[in-house]
Amino acid sequence: LPGAHSYTAAVAVDVAGITITGLPRGTAPAPHSRGAGTLRHASSITSTTNIMNISVANVEVAYLHLIPALALAGISLTATAAVNANLHDLTFLMTTAADTATFGIQATAVVDRMRVANCFAFVSDNQGPWIRTASGFTNSVIEQCTVMLDGTTAWDDVIEITTGSDNVVVRDCDFIHGTGALMTTI
């Protein structure tokens, strides 16, 4: 429902084929709008865990504003079974104390056929990557997103795709930095 929601435990997404969605404000953003519109739902966490852990296939997550806690993730894909994840029209606010272990989206297992589209991430200083894989992505796409860095510290890894990745496309995304800070690798 609309409003700010703070969880004390991670949301375990362990039912295949479900959709988790917030409500966009007004009409849905137009296709190819390069970033989610104004959202009515904000999710954050007050414990030492990720906001959402996805461990199953065919999950769609949309129209949420995610605020990961220090050294944690907004969304974590935790099993190779998390194929066909469709993460779209999301916003991420990564402005806790700078910590390279704070992630917007992370995969701790090899994830196949993931789609991240039409998202907006606002980051201050040197956080962890907005999108990070520890084991590799395969046959996946990151498209039509906007990532904005504010602050005076360079950001080491905006998108970190590691060894074991194959057929990953990053296309039609905008990367913006302010106040002289640099995004050093994508």
Side-chain angles (χ1 to χ4, degrees), residues 56-130:
V56 292
N58 303 315
V59 171
E60 177 182 16
V61 181
Y63 301 112
L64 300 177
H65 178 64
L66 301 169
I67 307 168
L70 181 68
L72 295 166
I75 297 174
S76 184
L77 299 121
T78 61
T80 56
V83 299
N84 294 326
N86 184 7
L87 312 175
H88 65 90
D89 295 288
L90 302 167
T91 59
F92 296 84
L93 181 63
M94 298 170 58
T95 58
T96 61
D99 190 312
T100 57
T102 303
F103 311 115
I105 300 168
Q106 75 168 343
T108 58
V110 176
V111 175
D112 192 33
R113 299 184 307 274
M114 180 184 74
R115 176 180 177 258
V116 177
N118 203 37
C119 294
F120 176 79
F122 183 85
V123 179
S124 65
D125 300 314
N126 190 19
Q127 303 290 351
W130 167 52

Side-chain angles (χ1 to χ4, degrees), residues 11-184:
V11 175
V13 182
D14 55 7
V15 177
I18 66 170
T19 296
I20 298 171
T21 183
L23 299 172
R25 187 175 304 274
T27 59
H32 312 294
S33 64
R34 293 185 178 271
T38 304
L39 306 177
R40 294 182 180 186
H41 177 100
S43 295
S44 61
I45 195 94
T46 59
S47 68
T48 55
T49 187
N50 304 315
I51 295 174
M52 189 178 300
N53 292 319
I54 300 173
S55 61
V56 292
N58 303 315
V59 171
E60 177 182 16
V61 181
Y63 301 112
L64 300 177
H65 178 64
L66 301 169
I67 307 168
L70 181 68
L72 295 166
I75 297 174
S76 184
L77 299 121
T78 61
T80 56
V83 299
N84 294 326
N86 184 7
L87 312 175
H88 65 90
D89 295 288
L90 302 167
T91 59
F92 296 84
L93 181 63
M94 298 170 58
T95 58
T96 61
D99 190 312
T100 57
T102 303
F103 311 115
I105 300 168
Q106 75 168 343
T108 58
V110 176
V111 175
D112 192 33
R113 299 184 307 274
M114 180 184 74
R115 176 180 177 258
V116 177
N118 203 37
C119 294
F120 176 79
F122 183 85
V123 179
S124 65
D125 300 314
N126 190 19
Q127 303 290 351
W130 167 52
I131 299 176
R132 177 185 186 264
T133 172
S135 302
F137 292 136
T138 57
N139 307 308
S140 297
V141 63
I142 301 164
E143 62 186 348
Q144 298 168 340
C145 296
T146 300
V147 181
M148 184 175 291
L149 170 63
D150 189 32
T152 57
T153 306
W155 190 13
D156 291 335
D157 298 305
V158 179
I159 298 173
E160 181 181 76
I161 301 171
T162 59
T163 305
S165 297
D166 193 19
N167 295 330
V168 178
V169 175
V170 178
R171 66 176 172 215
D172 198 22
C173 293
D174 293 327
F175 300 92
I176 304 163
H177 67 86
T179 62
L182 298 176
M183 298 177 194
T184 55

